[in-house]
Amino acid sequence: GAVVSQHPSRVICKSGTSVKIECRSLDFQATTMFWYRQFPKQSLMLMATSNEGSKATYEQGVEKDKFLINHASLTLSTLTVTSAHPEDSSFYICSARVRTALGEQFFGPGTRLTVL
Amino acid sequence: RKEVEQDPGPFNVPEGATVAFNCTYSNSASQSFFWYRQDCRKEPKLLMSVYSSGNEDGRFTAQLNRASQYISLLIRDSKLSDSATYLCVVNTGRRALTFGSGTRLQVQP
């Protein structure tokens, strides 16, 4: 399958700081990437769709000014959690779909964010 | 009603058992179907795509019933390493795939 990398894998920060997470498609070009969040023992929740060269599309209830998404190239999308608070502590996972007939989606390894 | 519904489980089965999971989807125009596996504190990984004619990959068999709008996954000869959450996933035509909440499987020695 296609390879998606994500960095960092884990981050611990103080409340009020901003955290940037990078997502890269390593062996294919992704015009669209997706950002998910998952709290312990809960389902994946789609936060936003990242579109190369244009604004991200956010799901209902997700604050676009708090979760800044930039998709500057066909292989890189970044998510910045601005002014992070303890309630933002979660597992953030990016994903990209491949351009095949079935359109499978492949995930990065995720970033575990802990805000103190 | 959720677009993709799964029994959350957990399914607790002994090693060597055969276990089956079902999933239903609400959008009759859905185009493609998948099973993903997610281990604890890890990202989801594609297990297999599901074809109309049914398909098998080793101990895993997936089937699709378009008329009844359900998908199944059968695991034969369960191993301890099969313990995970299995996510039913549907391509409803949106940009992102639609994920079920998952069914947790615990294989016991």
Side-chain angles (χ1 to χ4, degrees):
Chain A
V3 180
V4 177
S5 73
Q6 200 172 327
H7 178 80
S9 58
R10 184 183 296 269
V11 60
I12 300 172
C13 68
K14 291 182 180 177
S15 189
T17 59
S18 293
V19 175
K20 183 190 247 185
I21 303 170
E22 291 189 350
C23 177
R24 292 179 189 273
S25 55
L26 296 186
D27 53 358
F28 66 104
Q29 292 182 331
T31 53
T32 304
M33 290 185 177
F34 307 99
W35 286 97
Y36 292 83
R37 181 167 55 180
Q38 188 173 35
F39 292 106
K41 299 189 178 181
Q42 293 191 21
S43 309
L44 278 176
M45 189 195 84
L46 178 64
M47 298 175 67
T49 300
S50 171
N51 307 299
E52 188 265 333
S54 64
K55 290 182 182 179
T57 308
Y58 290 82
E59 296 297 302
Q60 196 170 9
V62 178
E63 299 173 58
K64 64 180 191 317
D65 295 328
K66 180 162 183 67
F67 298 100
L68 301 178
I69 291 172
N70 184 277
H71 195 149
S73 78
L74 287 172
T75 58
L76 173 64
S77 173
T78 60
L79 168 70
T80 301
V81 183
T82 62
S83 186
H85 290 288
E87 58 266 28
D88 298 322
S89 299
S90 188
F91 189 44
Y92 292 85
I93 322 174
C94 71
S95 177
R97 286 183 76 173
V98 292
R99 293 183 187 180
T100 62
L102 295 178
E104 303 94 319
Q105 203 164 307
F106 292 93
F107 288 83
T111 297
R112 195 158 301 280
L113 171 64
T114 302
V115 185
L116 302 176
Chain B
R1 184 186 170 189
K2 291 182 182 177
E3 290 190 83
V4 179
E5 296 216 49
Q6 296 182 250
D7 180 344
F11 284 60
N12 295 303
V13 303
E15 269 186 289
T18 295
V19 61
F21 307 135
N22 291 328
C23 154
T24 58
Y25 60 95
S26 60
N27 187 335
S28 59
S30 297
Q31 300 157 13
S32 49
F33 309 87
F34 312 91
W35 283 100
Y36 279 70
R37 168 196 171 128
Q38 186 174 22
D39 292 283
C40 188
R41 300 173 69 86
K42 298 283 189 180
E43 78 278 20
K45 292 185 178 176
L46 178 63
L47 180 64
M48 58 197 300
S49 303
V50 186
Y51 302 113
S52 296
S53 54
N55 49 301
E56 190 173 303
D57 183 1
R59 298 182 292 109
F60 298 83
T61 302
Q63 295 205 306
L64 167 64
N65 184 320
R66 282 190 186 270
S68 301
Q69 294 181 207
Y70 84 77
I71 306 151
S72 65
L73 177 68
L74 182 79
I75 305 175
R76 288 181 299 278
D77 189 22
S78 300
K79 312 287 183 196
L80 293 175
S81 57
D82 293 334
S83 298
T85 297
Y86 290 83
L87 304 169
C88 176
V89 183
V90 176
N91 177 4
T92 59
R94 292 203 197 94
R95 301 183 91 177
L97 297 177
T98 301
F99 284 75
S101 302
T103 298
R104 198 155 69 86
L105 171 66
Q106 185 66 48
V107 181
Q108 294 163 336

